[in-house]
Amino acid sequence: MVEVQDIFNQYGQIYRQKHRLPNHILKAMSAIESCRTHTLGGHVDECDSCGHIRVSYNSCRNRHCPKCQTLTKERWIENRKKDLLPVGYFHVVFTMPEELNFMTLLNQREVYSILFKAVSETLLEVGRDAKYLGAEIGFISILHTWGQNLMDHPHIHCIVPGGGISFDGKRWIHAKAGFFIPVKVLSRKFRGKLLYYLKRSYSQKKLKFIGDVKFLKNEVEFKYFVDKLYKKECVVYCKPPFKSAEHVLEYLGRYTHRVAISNHRIVKLENGQVTFWWRDYRDGNKKKLMTLTAEEFIRRFLMHILPSRFVKIRHYGILSNRNRKIKIAKCRVMMGVVLRKDDNPVVKLSVAELLLKLTGVDITRCPCCEKGKMLTKEKPIPKNCSPPEREIKTA
């Protein structure tokens, strides 16, 4: 199977020589190229029954690496289980106007921060409005920057409990069954806030414009550009509520730790061409094949590497990190939920225990004799050290 790592290993160095790249992108590329190879070191396991040897190499743990997200995602979901409430959950998606895509690529940290701010304030303010809910709500926001074809498509997924706490803090107010807030209301509020904060960043000279968009440095040109956006509806989509807490977790798992493209979507790498499958939502959600040069594939993938330490999953309102523990407990009391003793603790499972729970596969069991237990026999293999010269199996 062809992986992003294979494409980077074959064509990444050529791409770096042709293009000047910032440090955080160079680090991500290096991490993906080295993931689960002897470059990062590892350890040797030996079966206590038959003596079978297995070398396991370390993962890069980079959040943009397609190989390193599964366990991180599952741990995150395990930790979220204790926060679920017995109510319907809505999935709301806010999409940035495509006219701003060029500005986003030039000013990722600033524009993505504006996007989060506009989305969070929109939901919190409309939730407080007595015309719609009149309560303090909470939600989880997840930033995605890509479309299925790997082009830039910044949007935020929000998972929102169907209701909130009354202003006096004494009761839970349920949202209407199957209905949250009109998307037109959300769309126009979101548009106003997005463009307001964009203009403020411009006036504070936090935005840069180069190349073909250098003309926007002129205040008159920028004002004309923004005024046109006020006449365009922003795309906001709201799905019906989930049926159960289990559906919420399953859905979260699809979005939280996703990268621009997973390895299973890559079909082949031949003669400097990368072929992958994608879904064309504008053509009835049809599954299609797309072929790009390796250089163009790398360019599109790198567009979605976020700035260093930029937080892509954020919690707001009653689900914010500061309030969550106290307010979730308060919500459950209001709903009359009876907690069992085993509801609160979240046991931190080891990698082997987590994989066994998720897949039913015991990685400590010897794959050769299927009776013995694989035990770490030797000290960790140093970085950049070749594996031992013996029959091995790389995990």
Side-chain angles (χ1 to χ4, degrees):
M1 183 181 76
V2 180
E3 299 181 346
V4 172
Q5 184 183 56
D6 301 320
I7 300 167
F8 277 17
N9 280 331
Q10 289 189 44
Y11 299 98
Q13 186 57 34
I14 297 172
Y15 191 90
R16 284 188 285 261
Q17 290 170 356
K18 292 177 67 174
H19 303 275
R20 187 177 178 182
L21 302 173
N23 283 336
H24 72 281
I25 289 182
L26 292 172
K27 286 179 180 178
M29 288 184 73
S30 177
I32 293 170
E33 290 166 351
S34 304
C35 188
R36 299 184 192 179
T37 68
H38 69 275
T39 305
L40 297 181
H43 62 273
V44 178
D45 296 328
E46 182 174 354
C47 175
D48 61 3
S49 178
C50 69
H52 176 72
I53 296 293
R54 178 177 66 193
V55 173
S56 299
Y57 295 121
N58 295 330
S59 300
C60 68
R61 300 185 182 181
N62 189 284
R63 61 177 170 170
H64 302 99
C65 176
K67 290 182 178 182
C68 294
Q69 304 312 306
T70 303
L71 289 178
T72 305
K73 176 193 74 177
E74 294 300 336
R75 287 194 190 281
W76 188 87
I77 290 175
E78 282 290 314
N79 288 329
R80 297 286 75 77
K81 283 182 179 180
K82 66 181 185 298
D83 299 334
L84 289 175
L85 295 169
V87 296
Y89 279 73
F90 293 86
H91 177 203
V92 188
V93 184
F94 293 83
T95 302
M96 181 173 284
E98 61 182 15
E99 289 86 351
L100 294 175
N101 286 355
F102 74 91
M103 192 183 299
T104 303
L105 291 177
L106 292 171
N107 307 273
Q108 282 187 318
R109 187 181 295 276
E110 184 67 20
V111 176
Y112 291 152
S113 296
I114 288 172
L115 180 58
F116 268 115
K117 193 173 182 63
V119 167
S120 62
E121 290 189 3
T122 295
L123 282 174
L124 291 171
E125 288 182 17
V126 177
R128 290 189 192 107
D129 193 327
K131 191 190 302 184
Y132 306 109
L133 189 62
E136 183 184 359
I137 66 170
F139 51 94
I140 301 172
S141 295
I142 306 156
L143 172 68
H144 281 184
T145 64
W146 58 84
Q148 280 273 305
N149 58 2
L150 286 184
M151 289 302 290
D152 43 333
H153 177 60
H155 56 285
I156 285 183
H157 296 266
C158 299
I159 307 298
V160 193
I165 300 175
S166 62
F167 296 137
D168 60 11
K170 294 181 179 179
R171 61 194 177 95
W172 175 267
I173 300 175
H174 287 275
K176 295 179 182 177
F179 179 78
F180 183 53
I181 293 171
V183 290
K184 276 194 174 182
V185 174
L186 293 174
S187 174
R188 288 171 187 177
K189 173 79 81 169
F190 169 63
R191 178 184 63 191
K193 287 189 172 293
L194 181 70
L195 297 180
Y196 166 77
Y197 286 119
L198 199 65
K199 290 188 294 183
R200 191 174 74 171
S201 289
Y202 181 84
S203 66
Q204 294 172 347
K205 303 190 182 303
K206 292 182 178 179
L207 301 175
K208 60 182 179 181
F209 302 98
I210 58 176
D212 294 339
V213 295
K214 198 173 181 179
F215 70 94
L216 288 175
K217 286 185 175 181
N218 182 291
E219 290 187 20
V220 175
E221 294 285 357
F222 184 81
K223 184 178 183 303
Y224 176 70
F225 171 76
V226 172
D227 285 346
K228 287 196 298 183
L229 291 178
Y230 274 111
K231 299 173 184 176
K232 181 176 180 179
E233 291 286 347
C234 285
V235 178
V236 177
Y237 176 68
C238 184
K239 288 189 176 183
F242 299 100
K243 295 179 181 177
S244 67
E246 289 71 24
H247 282 84
V248 176
L249 288 175
E250 182 184 338
Y251 205 83
L252 277 174
R254 299 183 200 172
Y255 288 95
T256 51
H257 294 76
R258 186 181 286 182
V259 297
I261 186 170
S262 53
N263 286 326
H264 77 272
R265 284 178 54 198
I266 303 174
V267 178
K268 63 181 178 180
L269 171 62
E270 289 180 355
N271 304 318
Q273 304 279 318
V274 180
T275 301
F276 62 94
W277 64 263
W278 65 294
R279 292 195 181 277
D280 189 349
Y281 297 128
R282 295 182 179 179
D283 188 16
N285 201 26
K286 289 181 181 177
K287 189 175 178 180
K288 300 180 179 180
L289 289 177
M290 178 175 290
T291 299
L292 303 172
T293 64
E295 181 177 4
E296 175 61 11
F297 177 89
I298 292 173
R299 184 190 76 83
R300 293 192 186 188
F301 186 92
L302 298 184
M303 283 196 298
H304 310 297
I305 293 179
L306 297 175
S308 297
R309 299 183 181 181
F310 187 86
V311 181
K312 64 172 285 188
I313 304 175
R314 305 188 183 189
H315 303 74
Y316 295 95
I318 61 175
L319 296 183
S320 66
N321 292 330
R322 179 182 297 179
N323 298 326
R324 184 165 59 230
K325 188 174 181 180
I326 295 173
K327 293 206 170 181
I328 289 293
K330 194 173 183 179
C331 290
R332 286 180 174 147
V333 171
M334 294 175 187
M335 296 174 186
V337 176
V338 179
L339 288 179
R340 300 188 307 270
K341 289 184 178 179
D342 59 347
D343 281 343
N344 286 323
V346 176
V347 180
K348 188 171 183 180
L349 302 176
S350 66
V351 172
E353 291 169 335
L354 190 55
L355 282 173
L356 180 62
K357 180 179 179 181
L358 295 172
T359 66
V361 176
D362 184 0
I363 62 171
T364 65
R365 186 181 181 185
C366 177
C368 186
C369 69
E370 298 187 351
K371 295 179 181 178
K373 191 176 183 68
M374 301 299 293
L375 302 175
T376 301
K377 182 176 181 292
E378 298 185 6
K379 293 180 180 179
I381 301 171
K383 293 182 180 181
N384 296 308
C385 180
S386 298
E389 295 181 0
R390 64 179 99 181
E391 186 179 349
I392 60 172
K393 180 177 179 181
T394 302

